[in-house]
Amino acid sequence: MKSLHTQQHPLADLRYQLNVLTHAEAAGSHLPPFAAKLRETGLLPLRPTGLTVMQINVGKMCNQTCHHCHVDAGPDRTEIMTRATMQQCLNALAQTDIPVVDLTGGAPEMNPDFRWFVEQISALGRSVIVRCNLTIIVANKKYHDLPEFFARHRVRVVSSLPCYTAANTDKQRGDGVFERSIRALQMLNAVGYGVADTGLVLDLVFNPGGASLPGPQAALEVDYKRQLMQDYGIVFNNLLTITNLPINRFLEFLLESGRYELYMEKLVTAYNPAAAANVMCRSTLSVGWDGQLYDCDFNQQLDLLVEASAPRHIQDFDQMALEGRTVVINQHCYGCTAGAGSSCGGATV
């Protein structure tokens, strides 16, 4: 499967996606603007509560082309962060006490400077999260030692596993992905990840396969731990539930299946003001592969830069100005505020 970008699909034009989301077209025109919901619950304008996470997308290249991917990543994407831009990120970090750096992609490990970047971030005394798709570990011999590399730098590994069965996982992520993911999880367990008292944190991510909200996070975690231990002897720390946001390839699925309006209605109906108060954009700064700045990874994929009054590139980083900004919002934000909420850290309430 090719990315929307390579297909030259209409949705590869982010302006077209924004038109769909803001209901410039007839479908879904009755849905209330997200800003109106925030105003009703006293959260407009939405402002940061302080920066605690710098999430950095080091490139859109990936060894997989998942059906739900909000990044539209894949082997055919060539956008990649350079070492020069990574150095600008390090320079910005050195000015702050931001404790956590969250590396994402694509498959972040495919960036040729990935290991150097992890080493430099660790040298600054910051905790590192890597969004690992698992299959990259077994994709090529040069990645087979990633578990040892992660353990050496005490990296927190966060990995998507949409289900503990092969059929459901492969349906969303591609044939054979589940089997390769299990092998990678066993390799991570072998070096201590997810094992009690090692301090090596391995979290898994669940996101629904269709146009539905994730179930209760705690209950799903119990099911995952029981089944993965029983069937494969695998252990992990936490299960994080993430709602599919209606952008890029998941938006394509919604439109082609005729479920877009129904899904948006579901998100709007499930709006939770407690979840809205805890959205990740209030404590996270998102850095694109080219150094541009966004309020979150989802805004990044729609090319919705931080507001113009704040610095818009990492080379111009100014923590005070960024913490004083107003968060840029749109209709896709309903995905983070539905039910128990959703963020890169899982449910928010």
Side-chain angles (χ1 to χ4, degrees):
M1 187 172 76
K2 294 181 179 179
S3 66
L4 299 174
H5 176 80
T6 298
Q7 294 177 47
Q8 296 184 321
H9 192 285
L11 289 174
D13 181 348
L14 299 180
R15 293 168 299 181
Y16 180 81
Q17 287 200 46
L18 288 169
N19 274 342
V20 173
L21 289 167
T22 53
H23 312 295
E25 299 182 357
S29 59
H30 63 284
L31 296 174
F34 184 69
K37 280 289 187 180
L38 290 182
R39 185 179 292 110
E40 286 176 14
T41 51
L43 289 168
L44 192 72
L46 191 64
R47 296 191 183 277
T49 53
L51 291 179
T52 58
V53 178
M54 183 179 287
Q55 187 173 62
I56 305 173
N57 187 309
V58 298
K60 297 190 177 185
M61 187 182 298
C62 190
N63 62 309
Q64 295 182 179
T65 315
C66 299
H67 291 282
H68 69 293
C69 183
H70 73 277
V71 181
D72 192 31
D76 55 4
R77 298 304 295 264
T78 58
E79 300 93 330
I80 204 93
M81 181 175 279
T82 65
R83 185 176 288 211
T85 304
M86 289 178 174
Q87 186 60 59
Q88 291 173 342
C89 294
L90 294 168
N91 295 343
L93 273 171
Q95 302 173 35
T96 77
D97 57 359
I98 295 173
V100 177
V101 178
D102 186 344
L103 300 180
T104 184
E109 301 90 344
M110 294 182 75
N111 185 302
D113 292 309
F114 168 77
R115 298 191 191 215
W116 173 85
F117 199 28
V118 170
E119 290 165 353
Q120 297 303 308
I121 296 167
S122 297
L124 288 175
R126 313 306 163 95
S127 298
V128 179
I129 297 172
V130 170
R131 304 272 162 178
C132 177
N133 69 15
L134 294 176
T135 62
I136 191 66
I137 293 174
V138 297
N140 186 295
K141 285 184 178 179
K142 67 180 179 180
Y143 300 122
H144 288 180
D145 67 335
L146 278 170
E148 289 82 1
F149 175 80
F150 291 153
R152 191 157 58 249
H153 294 284
R154 314 297 290 180
V155 169
R156 176 184 167 195
V157 178
V158 178
S159 296
S160 178
L161 190 70
C163 191
Y164 44 74
T165 66
N168 287 339
T169 296
D170 288 0
K171 183 178 180 181
Q172 186 181 110
R173 305 187 74 199
D175 292 343
V177 165
F178 181 79
E179 185 272 332
R180 295 194 296 274
S181 296
I182 291 299
R183 283 166 50 202
L185 286 170
Q186 291 169 336
M187 291 168 70
L188 287 163
N189 279 174
V191 299
Y193 270 96
V195 178
D197 302 322
T198 64
L200 297 176
V201 179
L202 171 62
D203 294 337
L204 299 183
V205 174
F206 166 86
N207 59 289
S212 60
L213 296 177
Q217 184 168 278
L220 280 167
E221 181 177 301
V222 171
D223 291 343
Y224 263 70
K225 286 187 171 180
R226 180 183 64 250
Q227 290 302 130
L228 289 177
M229 169 54 73
Q230 176 181 299
D231 296 341
Y232 306 102
I234 288 170
V235 293
F236 65 95
N237 295 94
N238 309 291
L239 183 75
L240 313 177
T241 56
I242 296 182
T243 300
N244 290 316
L245 265 70
I247 63 176
N248 278 319
R249 291 209 284 266
F250 189 66
L251 178 57
E252 178 194 26
F253 159 75
L254 292 173
L255 293 172
E256 290 189 350
S257 63
R259 300 178 188 177
Y260 171 72
E261 188 173 350
L262 179 65
Y263 187 67
M264 292 303 298
E265 287 176 345
K266 185 176 295 186
L267 295 181
V268 172
T269 302
Y271 174 84
N272 182 347
N278 288 286
V279 284
M280 65 182 177
C281 52
R282 305 190 77 186
S283 59
T284 298
L285 181 68
S286 174
V287 186
W289 65 272
D290 54 0
Q292 296 199 90
L293 300 181
Y294 306 86
D295 294 298
C296 70
D297 189 48
F298 304 114
N299 277 11
Q300 182 182 145
Q301 307 318 318
L302 291 171
D303 201 27
L304 294 172
L305 291 160
V306 293
E307 67 169 359
S309 64
R312 288 183 150 186
H313 195 280
I314 194 64
Q315 67 183 352
D316 304 314
F317 180 85
D318 181 329
Q319 184 168 356
M320 185 174 295
L322 287 162
E323 289 185 341
R325 75 192 190 277
T326 296
V327 174
V328 176
I329 58 174
N330 205 293
Q331 294 298 81
H332 64 290
C333 299
Y334 275 117
C336 292
T337 60
S342 178
S343 75
C344 288
T348 54
V349 295

